[in-house]
Amino acid sequence: MTTEATLPSTSASPGARQVWTRARGVVLALVVLLAAAVAIAVVRSDARHGELDPRSADPYGSRAVAELLADRGVSTRVVTTLDDARAAAGPDTTLLVAVPDLLTERQQTRLHSATEGSGGRTVLVAPGGPAVERLAPGVTADPALSVDSTLAPACDLPAARRAGTADTGGIRYSSGHIEADACYPSRRLATLLRIPDPSGAAAGESTPGDTVVLGAPDILYNNHLDEHGNASLALQLLGSRDHLVWYLPSVSDTTAPDDERSFFDLLPSGWLWGTLQLFIAAALAALWRARRLGPLVPEKLPVAIRASETAEGRARLYRKANARDRAATALRSATRTRLAPLVGTPVAQAHTPEALLPALSAHLHDAHGDGRSLHTLLFGPPPGDDAALIALADQLDALERQVRRP
């Protein structure tokens, strides 16, 4: 146990090759995922270039409806700033707000103040909950979207009845206005609302202003215009006045210096719920991976260590700590545990002198005198030096060989 031979150095830390072998699957999956995300982003950016832009001939552009309106004498003008949109509001103008959710809260309030009482028509394309409440007070957006995209009018609005079924399914709205026209319902909530301007009706205008809330932009897309009654509905909603002002909001609109948008304003609607769902999914995955569904599985050791090396290593640790008492205790305990079954003593009583020593003396036929030498050997005090510890190990080994001798 005190041998000072040099042991070959071994390390349990994985090398670079082992780390790469274990991690290459995860790295490859991440690379594939990143490449797929980039490819999808490129494809979507190409397909949606100029979305809802009346100058774009892309599938998701709106040039077709603008050309049809021009054939009917309705001029279309594109604006990209809030000031231009507010200045265009008037009784002979239809103001279409393509993406109302891009406007800040203050911009939405200013736009509503300009369109209210103007006598014109305001068309809001798929505004979310906060946006529709400011641009069309009294209208509320339901969090659940419409299941079907193609819906029947089911209302008395002449434009809807003439158009018939159309692709209006999207955001569903409810209104507290008594005179509002609720059309194209999905599960009892409208996907198209027309709210008349009460100030224009009270003033006795022949064509009072109104606000139209559209739940989905599909009827304005080039690739959907020729389906169902989409073209008829779009032309009637946008062609009721001589002029159409097509407002395309953008995050670069710096009309008002105090309208600077924060980071959270730039995030799409629903990001908070999406983040919460990700946290819940991560917590569930952690619980799933942490559960113990069965007994522990032994793990393969990185290196194989011989028993002799382990014993020698422990002996060196004992010597370095000058722990002869612990070494002697370990030797005696192991010897007693092996001797007990050989002399007919239960292993549970192997460390009890009153049970082990009489059985051991009877087995040896009192070869060690009156048993006091056995007591000293197996339960005695710790050795005083290394030589005594070596002698104790030799004596215990000799005793075990004598007991095992037939």
Side-chain angles (χ1 to χ4, degrees):
M1 294 182 63
T2 58
T3 305
E4 296 294 336
T6 304
L7 293 175
S9 59
T10 58
S11 175
S13 301
R17 179 181 293 273
Q18 292 176 322
V19 172
W20 166 246
T21 302
R22 297 174 185 176
R24 61 185 178 185
V26 177
V27 173
L28 180 60
L30 291 176
V31 171
V32 172
L33 184 62
L34 180 60
V38 172
I40 292 174
V42 171
V43 171
R44 288 176 62 89
S45 64
D46 290 341
R48 298 250 173 171
H49 175 69
E51 182 178 0
L52 284 178
D53 192 329
R55 299 163 297 186
S56 173
D58 292 339
Y60 292 96
S62 300
R63 182 175 177 179
V65 68
E67 293 290 342
L68 292 177
L69 288 171
D71 293 341
R72 286 159 176 77
V74 178
S75 63
T76 301
R77 181 166 64 97
V78 178
V79 298
T80 57
T81 63
L82 178 63
D83 283 348
D84 290 341
R86 295 178 72 242
D92 59 345
T93 301
T94 298
L95 175 63
L96 183 143
V97 185
V99 191
D101 290 342
L102 284 181
L103 299 173
T104 64
E105 179 178 347
R106 187 171 184 275
Q107 286 176 324
Q108 292 166 357
T109 303
R110 294 180 61 198
L111 181 61
H112 172 66
S113 64
T115 57
E116 185 180 21
S118 65
R121 167 170 287 182
T122 304
V123 179
L124 307 175
V125 181
V132 75
E133 291 175 5
R134 285 185 284 269
L135 292 171
V139 178
T140 304
D142 192 81
L145 300 180
S146 171
V147 177
D148 300 321
S149 60
T150 305
L151 302 170
C155 67
D156 296 330
L157 182 65
R161 293 179 65 86
R162 286 191 292 265
T165 58
D167 292 326
T168 59
I171 303 177
R172 304 182 306 143
Y173 303 99
S174 59
S175 174
H177 297 278
I178 300 177
E179 298 181 358
D181 294 309
C183 300
Y184 298 96
S186 172
R187 288 178 294 178
R188 296 180 295 181
L189 291 181
T191 57
L192 187 149
L193 278 176
R194 175 188 169 275
I195 304 99
D197 189 348
S199 61
E205 297 177 356
S206 58
T207 308
D210 56 11
T211 299
V212 175
V213 181
L214 189 61
D218 295 34
I219 67 171
L220 304 176
Y221 288 150
N222 293 330
N223 61 346
H224 290 303
L225 192 63
D226 59 345
E227 299 174 359
H228 311 293
N230 294 347
S232 175
L233 183 62
L235 293 177
Q236 293 181 83
L237 294 180
L238 304 182
S240 62
R241 269 73 175 174
D242 295 334
H243 305 288
L244 171 63
V245 175
W246 201 293
Y247 179 27
L248 295 173
S250 65
V251 295
S252 60
D253 183 5
T254 56
T255 301
D258 55 347
D259 274 344
E260 294 182 0
R261 310 188 72 182
S262 66
F263 171 76
F264 296 102
D265 292 330
L266 299 177
L267 294 176
S269 59
W271 68 269
L272 183 59
W273 290 109
T275 306
L276 179 61
Q277 291 176 7
L278 288 178
F279 275 115
I280 294 175
L284 293 177
L287 291 176
W288 167 61
R289 297 296 295 175
R291 290 188 61 190
R292 294 292 186 184
L293 301 179
L296 295 175
V297 179
E299 183 180 359
K300 184 178 179 181
L301 295 176
V303 292
I305 303 176
R306 295 191 296 272
S308 59
E309 294 181 0
T310 304
E312 187 175 350
R314 292 187 63 181
R316 289 185 176 184
L317 290 175
Y318 281 136
R319 183 182 183 188
K320 185 176 181 180
N322 200 24
R324 287 184 293 271
D325 53 345
R326 296 185 181 180
T329 301
L331 290 172
R332 284 167 168 162
S333 176
T335 302
R336 293 194 300 265
T337 301
R338 293 192 296 268
L339 290 178
L342 299 177
V343 298
T345 302
V347 178
Q349 299 180 1
H351 307 294
T352 304
E354 294 79 5
L356 179 63
L357 293 180
L360 185 59
S361 297
H363 185 83
L364 295 175
H365 305 292
D366 235 355
H368 286 72
D370 58 0
R372 283 179 295 180
S373 59
L374 291 176
H375 187 279
T376 302
L377 179 61
L378 295 174
F379 297 95
D385 52 26
D386 291 345
L389 179 62
I390 296 175
L392 175 62
D394 293 340
Q395 293 172 8
L396 291 174
D397 188 49
L399 176 61
E400 186 172 350
R401 286 199 303 269
Q402 185 178 0
V403 173
R404 292 180 181 275
R405 186 180 307 160

